[in-house]
Amino acid sequence: MKNKFGTAVTLGFALFAMFFGAGNLILPPFIGLKSGTEWFAAVSGFFTTGIVAPFLGVLTVVLFGTSFTDLGRKVNPLVVTVLAFLIMLCIGPLVAIPRTAAATFEIGIQPLFPDFNNILFSVLFFGVVIFLSVSKSRIVDIIGNFLTPFLILSLGILVVMGIINPPDVSHISELNSQQSFVFAFHEGYQTLDVLASVIFAGIIISAAIDKGYTNANDRFKITIAAGLISMIALLFIYGGLIYLGAHSGFPLSETVSRTELLLHISNAVLGNNGTVVISFAVALACLTTAIALTSAMGSFLEKLTFGKINYKMGVLLTCLVSGYFSVKSVEEIIDYAVVILGFIYPITFALILTVLFFGKLIFSRAPFIAAVTVAALVASLSVFQHFNLFPQSIAQINSWLPLSQHQLGWLLPSFLAFFIAAGFNSGRKKTSRQN
């Protein structure tokens, strides 16, 4: 077993890099631009959904097993497997992985080589991903020991230089403090990190076991230490990028391009070297996330098919599908991701919260199934709304749901269903004992 601090840093850096992909880089500056002088409230909102919520996902998995599918013991193995499959498609070849390639092309390649073909770039990008993903046992070390330090250094230079010498003064925002918090809270969903957290937790736990942390208590401690290190690193980078967005001097309009804003900030802070530095940072951020997600998808397909699709074949299939979708622009990928996220997020979050808070107190499956089912029913409203189905009925139902204006309409109904099912189950047990 290696020294605990060194292992925690390696795992923490790896987890940071897995989380810090395309969305994590392009969203914070836009949040800062919209929030202006209320940028600190925006940091708090993004911290909630972009850092704390994913950490709860990691915490839940390490408390109740070694992978997300272990939570099936609390709900239903088939239900959790189907949910895991949907999550993997979302954070894998349909949304997150293509977005890493698209963001790298738009921010890292196009400004330096305007005539470079995006299809050729996609082939090259996923060729590198395949090369670095085929050795499953070395994924965490490759990311944590080699790629992440360069990523943090390049982003750290941009953030520190921007704070010391901001490009412009922050403008007075149309959003007040509360509105800035809510806006950033909502934008945090787009990072996909709550979904990714329950999958990345399995990778980090597996790496901890490989490094000698086979005891459950030791494994819990080292994983939590890694999670805290990643949280600190994420807060520094997110906070810095939101601050730079608020002080960017970039014109605010309804058609702001997130990638153009990031390029503007890097050039304003670092001059002619800005494009090179941000290109390097984007390439590393997106590559590390793509490697982690591709590896996770390969492992998942191998486990799901009982080895019929082996790990290397899963990696290849993932890259082929991701490459197909990656030729779309970042904005296009974000647009079609909204409806998928609106359905998957509430279900996953409801499962995480109920298992985390009550998993060691309530052992019946019924309350957890009730919470997940109600979350799914409420989440389906967003799908109907997106396709403009039953608009008046959906609007009426949403007006009845507390917190629906914050995209949390599922929260109270799912917890209410949990407590009703738990009470009903407890009362039935008492009756059966009396009889």
Side-chain angles (χ1 to χ4, degrees):
M1 188 184 295
K2 297 180 180 180
N3 73 85
K4 291 184 179 181
F5 180 75
T7 301
V9 170
T10 297
L11 297 180
F13 275 11
L15 190 57
F16 162 82
M18 290 176 190
F19 281 138
F20 198 86
N24 311 64
L25 190 56
I26 62 177
L27 292 174
F30 179 67
I31 292 170
L33 180 66
K34 289 272 288 186
S35 302
T37 50
E38 302 296 340
W39 63 270
F40 188 78
V43 171
S44 302
F46 200 71
F47 174 76
T48 305
T49 49
I51 299 179
V52 175
F55 179 73
L56 294 179
V58 174
L59 180 61
T60 302
V61 174
V62 75
L63 274 172
F64 292 93
T66 58
S67 68
F68 177 62
T69 50
D70 288 337
L71 300 186
R73 294 194 296 267
K74 286 292 177 188
V75 187
N76 178 282
L78 179 60
V79 170
V80 171
T81 299
V82 171
L83 180 58
F85 182 68
L86 293 175
I87 291 172
M88 288 307 307
L89 288 178
C90 195
I91 67 170
L94 294 187
V95 180
I97 299 178
R99 194 171 68 177
T100 61
T104 305
F105 179 74
E106 289 184 20
I107 306 173
I109 301 299
Q110 221 169 18
L112 298 175
F113 309 100
D115 298 324
F116 203 92
N117 184 274
N118 65 334
I119 297 176
L120 176 59
F121 170 77
S122 181
V123 172
L124 295 174
F125 181 87
F126 285 107
V128 174
V129 172
I130 290 171
F131 177 75
L132 294 176
S133 300
V134 290
S135 179
K136 182 163 56 171
S137 61
R138 297 190 62 222
I139 292 293
V140 169
D141 286 335
I142 290 171
I143 295 174
N145 289 334
F146 299 108
L147 298 179
T148 307
F150 289 107
L151 170 60
I152 292 178
L153 178 64
S154 58
L155 290 172
I157 291 171
L158 176 65
V159 168
V160 172
M161 293 294 291
I163 292 174
I164 293 173
N165 187 25
D168 206 333
V169 296
S170 59
H171 65 276
I172 297 175
S173 173
E174 295 179 358
L175 305 179
N176 60 32
S177 179
Q178 182 181 354
Q179 290 169 330
S180 295
F181 177 92
V182 171
F183 172 69
F185 184 94
H186 292 174
E187 287 290 295
Y189 290 139
Q190 278 283 2
T191 65
L192 307 182
D193 285 348
V194 170
L195 301 183
S197 68
V198 294
I199 305 301
F200 289 161
I203 297 176
I204 296 299
I205 293 167
S206 178
I209 293 171
D210 289 341
K211 292 179 182 298
Y213 293 86
T214 53
N215 178 272
N217 188 49
D218 291 337
R219 192 165 61 237
F220 173 79
K221 289 179 180 178
I222 202 70
T223 304
I224 295 305
L228 291 173
I229 289 171
S230 70
M231 286 178 71
I232 293 169
L234 286 169
L235 179 59
F236 169 68
I237 300 298
Y238 286 158
L241 290 174
I242 289 174
Y243 176 86
L244 292 181
H247 294 78
S248 64
F250 196 80
L252 179 61
S253 69
E254 293 296 324
T255 58
V256 172
S257 167
R258 293 168 174 84
T259 53
E260 288 179 8
L261 171 60
L262 184 59
L263 286 168
H264 168 83
I265 291 171
S266 63
N267 288 323
V269 172
L270 300 175
N272 294 332
N273 297 320
T275 302
V276 176
V277 171
I278 204 64
S279 296
F280 183 69
V282 166
L284 284 176
C286 293
L287 185 62
T288 51
T289 299
I291 291 169
L293 292 173
T294 301
S295 175
M297 189 69 188
S299 297
F300 180 79
L301 288 175
E302 183 178 43
K303 186 176 180 180
L304 182 68
T305 62
F306 301 101
K308 292 179 181 178
I309 298 177
N310 63 35
Y311 173 76
K312 291 183 180 180
M313 181 59 69
V315 166
L316 181 60
L317 288 173
T318 300
C319 287
L320 286 174
V321 177
S322 300
Y324 172 79
F325 285 103
S326 70
V327 296
K328 296 180 181 292
S329 71
V330 172
E331 298 295 334
E332 285 177 314
I333 294 172
I334 288 175
D335 286 342
Y336 78 69
V338 169
V339 65
I340 304 173
L341 294 177
F343 182 71
I344 302 296
Y345 242 102
I347 302 170
T348 307
F349 218 165
L351 179 61
I352 289 171
L353 292 177
T354 52
V355 172
L356 180 62
F357 293 141
F358 307 110
K360 291 187 179 297
L361 299 173
I362 296 177
F363 301 99
S364 170
R365 287 180 175 179
F368 299 98
I369 293 173
V372 169
T373 301
V374 170
L377 290 173
V378 175
S380 65
L381 298 178
S382 68
V383 179
F384 295 146
Q385 192 172 37
H386 179 82
F387 292 106
N388 202 31
L389 299 173
F390 319 114
Q392 292 182 336
S393 300
I394 299 299
Q396 184 68 44
I397 294 171
N398 279 331
S399 69
W400 296 334
L401 294 173
L403 304 176
S404 61
Q405 69 273 28
H406 304 315
Q407 299 178 14
L408 290 171
W410 56 271
L411 184 61
L412 293 181
S414 60
F415 269 83
L416 181 62
F418 180 92
F419 291 128
I420 290 173
F424 177 78
N425 194 64
S426 176
R428 190 172 61 179
K429 284 184 178 179
K430 287 181 181 178
T431 302
S432 62
R433 281 198 299 266
Q434 289 171 355
N435 293 335

